[in-house]
Amino acid sequence: MTRYRFYTATTLDGFLADESDSLDWLLSQPVEGESILPYDDFIAGIGAIVTGRSTYDWVLEHEGAVEGAWVFTQPTFLFTHRRPAAGREGVTVVSGPPAAHRAAIEAAAGGGDVWIVGGGGLAAEFAREGMLDELFVSFAPVTLGAGKPLLGGRFDLELLEHGARGALLEARYRVVGERA
Ligand SMILES: NC(=O)c1ccc[n+]([C@@H]2O[C@H](COP(=O)([O-])OP(=O)(O)OC[C@H]3O[C@@H](n4cnc5c(N)ncnc54)[C@H](OP(=O)(O)O)[C@@H]3O)[C@@H](O)[C@H]2O)c1
């Protein structure tokens, strides 16, 4: 069965990025050692990708996608109200409640899992609609005081596994549900 997984990194005070979408605080961390969920193992199980607009724009700007192409091979659903200037192969532009796109996302995933790349507001939209099963977080030893939130909402989680890799603390959680 397809699982919806939010795999990400955060500051200790719960931000995915600073206010200008910089990840300098993360990219400067030493990350030697074995993860409890190595990226290569994680991505091998992913059949489809979901991203919000800021995350999509950041990836395009920083991950060196050539014109017309996208950086991931998996079919990708971009949530945005603003049509991007140019189409990207494998990227479907959608908007509105995640549940309205559930059938299409799961069909595209073809039995694999779905990676919700971010951000935290979109992940929370999925969680509220029962479409977030797991949260894997790497915590960097830094605070920013402000920025883009890890998960916008009130949710109960169950700790399944934890570890450390270089400067990062890692934790894998089951999403229990929205808090009353
Ligand atoms: N630390 C990490 O590992 C990590 C991981 C992921 C992301 N990031 C970073 O964290 C930041 C996240 O940015 P963010 O908080 O702004 O989140 P985001 O989800 O990337 O972007 C938010 C935007 O997505 C669109 N959106 C979200 N839900 C939608 C819906 N249901 N229907 C239509 N459009 C929808 C809206 O864009 P419009 O209405 O403007 O079109 C919204 O303003 C980015 O800088 C990203 O690079 C960091």
Side-chain angles (χ1 to χ4, degrees):
M1 206 179 82
T2 296
R3 292 175 294 175
Y4 288 83
R5 308 170 79 182
F6 185 23
Y7 178 105
T8 193
T10 181
T11 66
L12 268 191
D13 53 348
F15 298 110
L16 292 181
D18 74 11
E19 286 167 311
S20 54
D21 290 314
S22 171
L23 296 183
D24 286 357
W25 56 272
L26 175 62
L27 301 176
S28 56
Q29 303 295 334
V31 292
E32 71 283 351
E34 186 73 5
S35 170
I36 58 170
L37 181 52
Y39 177 78
D40 289 349
D41 295 350
F42 170 76
I43 198 71
I46 297 300
I49 284 176
V50 164
T51 176
R53 182 61 185 266
S54 309
T55 301
Y56 175 81
D57 288 345
W58 188 94
V59 170
L60 276 186
E61 193 179 331
H62 293 87
E63 300 291 332
V66 297
E67 207 176 321
W70 175 228
V71 298
F72 297 104
T73 55
Q74 292 88 345
T76 297
F77 292 80
L78 163 62
F79 280 78
T80 184
H81 301 99
R82 298 168 290 131
R83 185 154 282 280
R88 297 270 167 181
E89 202 182 332
V91 176
T92 303
V93 178
V94 295
S95 69
H101 305 288
R102 184 170 196 154
I105 292 170
E106 293 181 11
D113 291 335
V114 176
W115 179 13
I116 298 168
V117 182
L122 183 62
E125 290 181 51
F126 273 74
R128 277 187 211 102
E129 296 184 8
M131 294 170 66
L132 186 61
D133 300 295
E134 186 179 293
L135 174 58
F136 175 82
V137 190
S138 295
F139 297 89
V142 56
T143 63
L144 292 175
K148 303 294 182 75
L150 167 65
L151 191 59
R154 291 160 50 91
F155 299 96
D156 287 317
L157 309 169
E158 178 193 0
L159 180 64
L160 300 177
E161 206 179 356
H162 65 278
R165 180 170 63 112
L168 306 179
L169 279 177
E170 299 181 327
R172 195 166 68 82
Y173 301 94
R174 179 175 75 86
V175 177
V176 176
E178 200 167 6
R179 285 186 73 83

